[in-house]
Amino acid sequence: MTMFSNGFVTLQMPKDFEAIPTKDEFNDMYLVNTKIPMSIKFSTTPTLVGLPEIREDIEKNFKDNDRIDLILSDFIVINDIIYYMIVSSFSDGEKEIRRNEFLYVKDNNLYIFEYTYPYADRELDDFYLNVIRSLKIIVPKYIVENGEYRLNKKD
């Protein structure tokens, strides 16, 4: 089993996935598997709001975008932790794509798991839940104070 670690979190990386470098400040891990095909994105962003407010904003954005179909928007429990889950689909004109997102807030940090794969694929509940269950937060990535954020530098 391969583990991902950036000093802030550790995660189990699924077999047969390749890490793709990213320069996005908030994107911690981006993996692809061309055999499935599937991508996994794990991000951390600073936030001052909780999951209910995040859910409200996301659902409003979906209503304003007629290109994306919202399939499910609900709170679920994973490892005794409340996550907000969004399942959506969109078409690129040739094939339908499904995206499952799981959001979690702790210490003013929003942790986002995003799985994107062809809609026709079988359900992958155990697959993506195993990655989520492997999340270990070492320290918050961002410190949020006075309406601003900064990287939590370990001295």
Side-chain angles (χ1 to χ4, degrees), residues 76-85 102 104 113 128-130 132-134:
I76 65 167
V77 177
I78 304 171
N79 285 0
D80 297 326
I81 297 171
I82 296 175
Y83 280 79
Y84 169 49
M85 180 173 115
F102 298 84
Y104 168 58
F113 292 88
Y128 53 69
L129 290 176
N130 285 336
I132 294 168
R133 287 181 185 122
S134 76

Side-chain angles (χ1 to χ4, degrees), residues 10-143:
T10 60
L11 285 170
Q12 178 181 328
M13 291 175 44
K15 186 179 181 215
D16 297 327
F17 276 77
E18 178 183 336
I20 304 296
T22 178
K23 294 190 184 217
D24 179 353
E25 172 189 3
F26 302 116
N27 189 345
D28 296 305
M29 178 181 77
Y30 186 71
L31 304 173
V32 295
N33 182 333
T34 56
K35 294 175 192 167
I36 296 178
M38 176 188 238
S39 67
I40 302 172
K41 181 178 171 185
F42 174 73
S43 305
T44 308
T45 64
T47 185
L48 289 173
V49 298
L51 290 179
E53 294 90 348
I54 291 168
R55 177 183 186 175
E56 187 177 309
D57 285 347
I58 288 174
E59 287 180 353
K60 180 186 179 306
N61 288 337
F62 275 107
K63 285 179 185 165
D64 294 342
N65 188 339
D66 58 357
R67 294 181 41 173
I68 301 174
D69 293 322
L70 179 61
I71 297 167
L72 177 68
S73 170
D74 205 354
F75 296 104
I76 65 167
V77 177
I78 304 171
N79 285 0
D80 297 326
I81 297 171
I82 296 175
Y83 280 79
Y84 169 49
M85 180 173 115
I86 310 115
V87 178
S88 61
S89 69
F90 58 95
S91 175
D92 66 2
E94 294 181 20
K95 59 186 170 206
E96 209 164 334
I97 306 295
R98 181 172 174 142
R99 182 172 51 216
N100 294 13
E101 298 173 82
F102 298 84
L103 292 76
Y104 168 58
V105 173
K106 182 175 180 182
D107 298 325
N108 294 330
N109 282 246
L110 172 62
Y111 300 93
I112 306 167
F113 292 88
E114 181 182 305
Y115 301 85
T116 306
Y117 56 97
Y119 191 78
D121 269 6
R122 67 193 184 284
E123 290 297 323
L124 299 164
D125 293 347
D126 285 335
F127 173 82
Y128 53 69
L129 290 176
N130 285 336
V131 176
I132 294 168
R133 287 181 185 122
S134 76
L135 174 66
K136 302 285 184 258
I137 300 170
I138 301 164
V139 295
K141 183 176 179 181
Y142 297 102
I143 303 294

